[in-house]
Amino acid sequence: MIEAKVLTSGNRELINFITREYSAEKMKSKEGLLLKIERLEEMDEQTLKLCINRIRSLEEFYDPVKSLSAVIGVFTAFFIVLGVFFEEIGLPWYLDRILALGSLALAFIVSARDVIEMRLKKSNAVYFKGLLEYVLERKKENK
């Protein structure tokens, strides 16, 4: 059942499920989308609301802005320690700059990749939440 998956799965398992089953990028046709919506319509209003709240927490978990601020703090500390280390071992001034820039470039590449991945995951969560809200609204209108 979809509700059991949404309500009881861990964050990684849930986002993988959403990406696999409900990603906008993977919808092949309108009929496929309508079939997925029909499965969501099997849930009652209370369960839909609980699922929407669960997806909100998933959005927070995969928010790249919040993660990025933590990463910037770690990078700053890392480069301070790296600078002190280079000074202690007596590297020529140009060599420590080259090593620091290389480290910074590597850290930037890894961080950028992670931020892009998190944005895609958050985008899938937002899309799925939108589908849940659409189904909930339709249920309210049909009462």
Side-chain angles (χ1 to χ4, degrees), residues 45 137-143:
E45 284 186 35
E137 193 62 35
R138 283 186 52 176
K139 282 190 174 278
K140 288 179 179 178
E141 288 173 1
N142 291 335
K143 275 190 166 182

Side-chain angles (χ1 to χ4, degrees), residues 2-113:
I2 295 169
E3 60 263 18
K5 191 72 151 171
V6 173
L7 296 174
T8 62
S9 295
N11 289 337
R12 287 187 179 92
E13 183 182 349
L14 179 54
I15 199 66
N16 288 338
F17 168 76
I18 291 169
T19 301
R20 187 178 60 250
E21 297 294 325
Y22 288 93
S23 172
E25 297 172 348
K26 294 186 179 179
M27 292 291 173
K28 304 275 190 249
S29 66
K30 181 180 177 184
E31 292 77 22
L33 175 60
L34 293 175
L35 183 64
K36 301 276 185 183
I37 289 174
E38 281 180 24
R39 285 199 280 172
L40 294 176
E41 287 175 335
E42 294 172 4
M43 290 189 268
D44 61 42
E45 284 186 35
Q46 181 181 9
T47 305
L48 282 166
K49 289 176 185 177
L50 290 171
C51 289
I52 290 168
N53 285 329
R54 175 66 177 102
I55 300 304
R56 282 190 185 120
S57 74
L58 196 64
E59 285 180 86
E60 289 293 318
F61 184 78
Y62 285 107
D63 188 353
V65 173
K66 293 177 182 162
S67 299
L68 193 57
S69 61
V71 168
I72 289 171
V74 170
F75 282 157
T76 301
F78 172 73
F79 287 114
I80 290 170
V81 170
L82 192 62
V84 170
F85 174 73
F86 287 157
E87 192 174 306
E88 287 291 321
I89 63 173
L91 285 178
W93 70 269
Y94 59 88
L95 192 54
D96 69 350
R97 302 300 190 276
I98 291 170
L99 289 172
L101 283 174
S103 299
L104 179 62
L106 179 64
F108 177 77
I109 290 168
V110 169
S111 296
R113 187 200 67 205

